[in-house]
Amino acid sequence: MSEAIPTILQQANGLAAGDTTGETDLGFLWDFWYPALRSTEIVGSRLATAMLLEVPLVLGRTSDGRAFAMRDSCPHRGIPLSYGRFDGKTVECSYHGWRFDACSGQCVEIPSLTSQDKLKVDRIFAGHYPCKELDGYVWVYLLATGLRLGETVPAAPKLATFSAKYKITRLACDLPAHVDHGIIGLMDPAHGPFVHQSWFWRSRGSIHEKQKQFEPIPNGFRMSPHSPSSNSAPYQLLKKMTGEPVTTTIDFVLPNRRLEEIRSGKLWFTSQTTVTPVRRDLCRIDFVAAWNLFFLPVSIFRIFGKTFLRQDQETMIQQSEGLKHNPHLMLIDDADRPAKWYFALKANLMETRRTGVPVAHPMAGPVTLRWRS
């Protein structure tokens, strides 16, 4: 059975859909945490810039070490605040010297005002977003509902770890595509033998039928704990080393997170992959992984990890050539069922925000899917 790609993605390939959130609606999901940049990109009093969901941001770190994120636009005349100065507490606009508290966006000074002026400076705010540093990333809560820092927002995502000592590394790459293409590529189980062919992983000759059970979770779905594929050499090596079964659990959680947990005895490996929208035609993969397999050096893992990301990136570059012509696209069962769930979850969440009705989950319960890869 096949069906057309949902309208939301077809619109992403062409013109944007109508706006229902007060921001440009390009199929982006607002009021969620997104990784803006690596923590190491904020050094001293230097201001850094990033683009998330087509919102320009200026980021920095206060003199007491607290990261902050503001919209990179002065509310006076619109010049980017990133051209201004930062003294560790306030950001000063380079055009007229307006100064804003970095941790609230509140205006604290307008130099041109005289003693006769009655303008209440403290009622003026630059765009400001909740910000949190975790796992080596600066996460920003992108709001479309006018919330300000200090109001209740969900906790920022943190990578799960299961021992006091572990290794950790991070990788990233850009994908020249709408975020929906990046995300359904992230959860696609059938491309591995073709995109990720390598001596240490898989080949076309290793393709065989697979069967996995999925279950609904809040704002997402889970590939239930299972034994990893027999055609993946690293998993088989781990099983021989521990003498115990290897289990893998994979979650997808809106808006853009894939979480994987691999366990074998006392050994574990976890990863979090996010596909973050930058513009309608550009998204970014951020991958962070942690493990207590101390025989696996970070340098070796990074070599293999970069190979995988580069293969995905090259495929998306090639796909983007075809998408320029707005082709009709389709999804098939069962290999594309996770993509269908993603689109349904996303559409239902948007409908909930529009109407206030509870979010309807597209999965009524556990489902078994079968495909060849």
Side-chain angles (χ1 to χ4, degrees):
M1 176 179 145
S2 67
E3 61 186 59
I5 289 279
T7 303
I8 192 171
L9 184 49
Q10 291 291 99
Q11 289 170 329
N13 291 331
L15 297 175
D19 181 25
T20 60
T21 63
E23 297 280 3
T24 304
D25 181 1
L26 300 170
F28 299 156
L29 285 177
W30 299 87
D31 297 352
F32 284 102
W33 289 98
Y34 291 94
L37 42 71
R38 294 274 293 274
S39 294
T40 52
E41 295 181 66
I42 303 179
V43 180
S45 60
R46 184 177 68 85
L47 295 173
T49 60
M51 180 78 73
L52 294 180
L53 283 68
E54 299 204 333
V55 176
L57 300 174
V58 57
L59 302 100
R61 196 186 310 279
T62 61
S63 54
D64 60 1
R66 182 178 176 184
F68 66 89
M70 302 171 66
R71 192 176 187 112
D72 196 12
S73 176
C74 180
H76 178 211
R77 302 283 285 277
I79 191 171
L81 290 171
S82 55
Y83 288 126
R85 295 190 300 173
F86 177 55
D87 63 5
K89 293 183 61 177
T90 61
V91 177
E92 181 184 277
C93 177
S94 63
Y95 198 178
H96 295 92
W98 289 30
R99 292 172 56 235
F100 302 91
D101 179 77
C103 291
S104 67
Q106 186 176 41
C107 187
V108 296
E109 181 184 358
I110 297 179
S112 61
L113 293 181
T114 70
S115 58
Q116 306 301 313
D117 289 303
K118 297 181 180 180
L119 179 65
K120 295 186 181 297
V121 172
D122 58 0
R123 292 186 179 180
I124 300 173
F125 285 83
H128 195 268
Y129 300 92
C131 192
K132 183 75 173 179
E133 286 191 80
L134 286 173
D135 301 319
Y137 292 92
V138 179
W139 292 78
V140 177
Y141 195 79
L142 262 290
L143 309 101
T145 54
L147 295 176
R148 294 194 184 281
L149 187 62
E151 297 186 34
T152 302
V153 297
K158 180 171 175 55
L159 180 67
T161 55
F162 301 102
S163 59
K165 294 183 179 180
Y166 54 86
K167 296 178 183 292
I168 189 169
T169 193
R170 305 160 192 87
L171 296 167
C173 73
D174 291 335
L175 303 178
H178 186 272
V179 65
D180 282 343
H181 285 297
I183 287 175
I184 65 176
L186 188 70
M187 62 182 66
D188 171 18
H191 74 279
F194 303 94
V195 174
H196 298 302
Q197 292 184 47
S198 57
W199 64 267
F200 64 88
W201 193 246
R202 295 174 187 168
S203 67
R204 291 192 184 198
S206 67
I207 295 176
H208 64 278
E209 187 167 318
K210 298 178 181 178
Q211 175 179 305
K212 298 289 190 294
Q213 182 168 302
F214 291 76
E215 57 190 284
I217 59 176
N219 274 351
F221 49 86
R222 169 174 295 156
M223 184 186 290
S224 306
H226 60 280
S227 297
S229 298
S230 58
N231 58 349
S232 297
Y235 295 137
Q236 299 310 310
L237 177 61
L238 181 60
K239 183 177 179 179
K240 289 182 179 179
M241 292 186 61
T242 64
E244 299 191 43
V246 180
T247 61
T248 299
T249 305
I250 300 174
D251 289 358
F252 175 79
V253 183
L254 285 180
N256 63 342
R257 292 192 296 139
R258 180 189 186 275
L259 309 170
E260 183 166 3
E261 177 184 320
I262 302 171
R263 306 291 292 268
S264 182
K266 294 182 179 180
L267 300 182
W268 57 267
F269 173 96
T270 61
S271 68
Q272 175 174 264
T273 308
T274 56
V275 182
T276 299
V278 179
R279 304 188 308 262
R280 78 174 70 191
D281 60 348
L282 178 67
C283 59
R284 187 186 71 246
I285 289 183
D286 287 292
F287 174 84
V288 56
W291 62 90
N292 73 341
L293 292 73
F294 295 110
F295 56 84
L296 176 59
V298 169
S299 58
I300 298 299
F301 179 84
R302 287 181 63 84
I303 292 173
F304 294 139
K306 286 181 178 180
T307 298
F308 271 70
L309 284 184
R310 185 170 59 251
Q311 291 166 339
D312 283 325
Q313 185 182 44
E314 290 174 353
T315 298
M316 297 297 287
I317 290 172
Q318 293 167 357
Q319 183 189 34
S320 68
E321 294 180 19
L323 294 177
K324 292 176 182 177
H325 308 289
N326 294 327
H328 291 289
L329 310 175
M330 67 176 65
L331 298 172
I332 64 172
D333 278 342
D334 274 357
D336 287 336
R337 188 82 67 85
K340 295 180 182 181
W341 292 333
Y342 162 69
F343 284 119
L345 278 167
K346 185 174 181 178
N348 292 348
L349 180 59
M350 288 181 164
E351 181 66 10
T352 291
R353 290 180 172 175
R354 188 181 68 84
T355 64
V357 300
V359 178
H361 202 292
M363 299 177 67
V367 176
T368 298
L369 301 183
R370 297 172 179 84
W371 65 87
R372 283 172 51 82
S373 69

